[in-house]
Amino acid sequence: MTDAAEPTVLVRARGGLGRLTLNRPRAINALDLDMIHQLHAALDAWEHDTEVDVVLLDGAGERGLCAGGDVRGLAERVMSGRSEDSALFFRDEYALNARIAEYPKPFVALADGITMGGGIGVAGHAAIRIVTERSQLAMPETRIGFTPDVGGTWLLAHAPGRLGEYLGLTGAVMDASDALYAGFADHFVPSAHLDGLRDALETRADPSSPTELVLLFDETPPPSRLERARAWIDDAFAGDTVADIVERLRARPEPEASATADLLGELSPTGLAVTLASIRRSRDLPGLRAALEQEYGLVMWFASTQPDLPEGIRAQVIDKDRSPKWQPATIADLPPDLAPAALAHRPDVPLWERPAGD
């Protein structure tokens, strides 16, 4: 049976457990607008349902929870000038991210396998975030000429030291140990135990809380490579600008630092500059909703004014030639007022206000 013949979100409730399964396994459960609406509807229905005590989010298939949002669709909207369609998608997606963070019932997310971009948005703000030995978490937006969103800058801003800048600019992939260390996850449960955990959440004996049940399956992961790399990451990514960061990386003796400098030279200079400013500004924001609002302004600035976004999606996702032509082409060509201009952008429709009939 094809993905298209099945619901793209499986919604069922039994034994006090409301279970949401993202069900586009061939696309690694990438989110489209209809899936976002289905998730909203289920959470609305369960909020005051006395038969549902706990909500569990997972993904169909073996590859991951969610590879992100539908970037092909985003590229089509941008290239055809349909900025309001892009705005609608982001507003509904970010409302879901905030809804998950603020949900009045325990929300458990299984970030098993690939969990990136929009996947971080639905897993990273859950009350109980579980990773496995198969987990691969990342915010890789700069690789497509974009910037981390879905509340990702809020998580990045509160990672230890300068890991937020490092993860946000490079799009580096975190394994389970890294995700726990960086604050993107709470518990490590081997994938072989996930079915047992699901059963326990469904058949739990009161008064066991979801956290107490998870702890029955929780194990200690290996040491985090990010923790071991903190010395050179914190030193280099403390630079004031992207150019300063690259210079500091070149001055470090570690081979990983030089490789990171090479990588930054390949990514969208605009994406890097805006991401650096966004993460640092998020550290001073009062909460997730404020970070989402800032991100909404930035993503609409990219979607309505910047050629790097459709070009990056073309090069990495559509044509896959891996040779994007960035504008400007190099970090040295970045205008000094670029990031402030991006942060000053205000979309026509605010994130948390809807016009009549919307």
Side-chain angles (χ1 to χ4, degrees):
M1 184 177 290
T2 65
D3 289 355
E6 300 179 346
T8 52
V9 178
L10 304 180
V11 180
R12 56 262 199 235
R14 189 172 66 181
L17 178 68
R19 186 172 170 192
L20 299 167
T21 300
L22 306 180
N23 190 38
R24 292 181 67 204
R26 293 183 183 177
I28 320 181
N29 305 314
L31 293 170
D32 60 24
L33 188 58
D34 183 61
M35 293 170 72
I36 290 168
H37 289 165
Q38 292 180 67
L39 293 168
H40 272 294
L43 293 178
D44 287 347
W46 288 341
E47 180 171 357
H48 301 293
D49 186 342
T50 57
E51 298 298 313
V52 174
D53 303 315
V54 179
V55 176
L56 174 69
L57 175 72
D58 57 13
E62 297 296 316
R63 298 170 68 191
L65 171 67
C66 177
D70 178 11
V71 294
R72 286 176 179 264
L74 175 59
E76 291 169 3
R77 292 190 294 270
V78 170
M79 288 187 286
S80 60
R82 291 152 48 210
S83 62
E84 179 47 41
D85 289 347
S86 297
L88 176 62
F89 179 91
F90 290 128
R91 288 198 301 271
D92 287 354
E93 183 179 25
Y94 295 2
L96 177 64
N97 304 147
R99 184 96 165 95
I100 289 170
E102 298 163 0
Y103 204 62
K105 298 180 179 182
F107 192 108
V108 183
L110 304 185
D112 181 34
I114 292 172
T115 304
M116 299 183 180
I120 297 290
V122 294
H125 309 302
I128 302 171
R129 305 165 299 174
I130 294 167
V131 286
T132 76
E133 79 285 354
R134 302 188 298 202
S135 293
Q136 299 178 59
L137 278 67
M139 296 298 298
E141 286 77 8
T142 56
R143 300 185 180 218
I144 58 166
F146 204 32
T147 189
D149 64 333
V150 298
T153 61
W154 180 251
L155 297 171
L156 291 166
H158 294 87
R162 298 293 180 174
L163 291 184
E165 285 94 332
Y166 167 75
L167 293 167
L169 268 65
T170 65
V173 176
M174 294 175 274
D175 62 15
S177 303
D178 295 334
L180 289 161
Y181 181 70
F184 279 70
D186 305 301
H187 302 281
F188 174 73
V189 175
S191 59
H193 297 166
L194 291 181
D195 285 342
L197 173 60
R198 292 185 185 99
D199 290 342
L201 288 169
E202 186 177 312
T203 62
R204 65 196 178 284
D206 290 329
S208 296
S209 71
T211 297
E212 289 171 326
L213 287 172
V214 170
L215 287 173
L216 297 176
F217 298 88
D218 195 337
E219 296 188 6
T220 302
S224 164
R225 62 176 180 81
L226 283 181
E227 184 175 9
R228 295 194 300 269
R230 276 285 302 280
W232 68 263
I233 288 176
D234 284 359
D235 174 60
F237 283 83
D240 289 340
T241 66
V242 177
D244 291 340
I245 289 171
V246 171
E247 184 177 348
R248 286 172 175 243
L249 287 167
R250 296 287 185 206
R252 295 289 309 189
E254 296 85 358
E256 297 89 347
S258 296
T260 299
D262 292 342
L263 172 64
L264 294 180
E266 299 170 0
L267 303 179
S268 162
T270 299
L272 293 174
V274 171
T275 297
L276 181 63
S278 179
I279 293 168
R280 290 182 171 170
R281 196 160 178 253
S282 289
R283 289 198 176 103
D284 296 323
L285 295 177
L288 174 62
R289 279 183 173 264
L292 286 164
E293 187 170 21
Q294 174 175 283
E295 292 168 354
Y296 176 60
L298 293 175
V299 299
M300 290 310 300
W301 179 80
F302 273 95
S304 60
T305 73
Q306 295 301 301
D308 276 9
L309 176 56
E311 171 62 7
I313 296 173
R314 179 206 65 76
Q316 301 294 348
V317 179
I318 298 174
D319 296 341
K320 297 183 180 179
D321 59 28
R322 307 289 190 264
S323 299
K325 303 296 189 291
W326 304 126
Q327 299 179 41
T330 71
I331 293 168
D333 295 330
L334 279 168
D337 62 345
L338 184 139
L343 287 166
H345 181 76
R346 296 294 177 267
D348 292 337
V349 179
L351 176 58
W352 303 119
E353 297 175 25
R354 297 298 182 94
D358 192 7

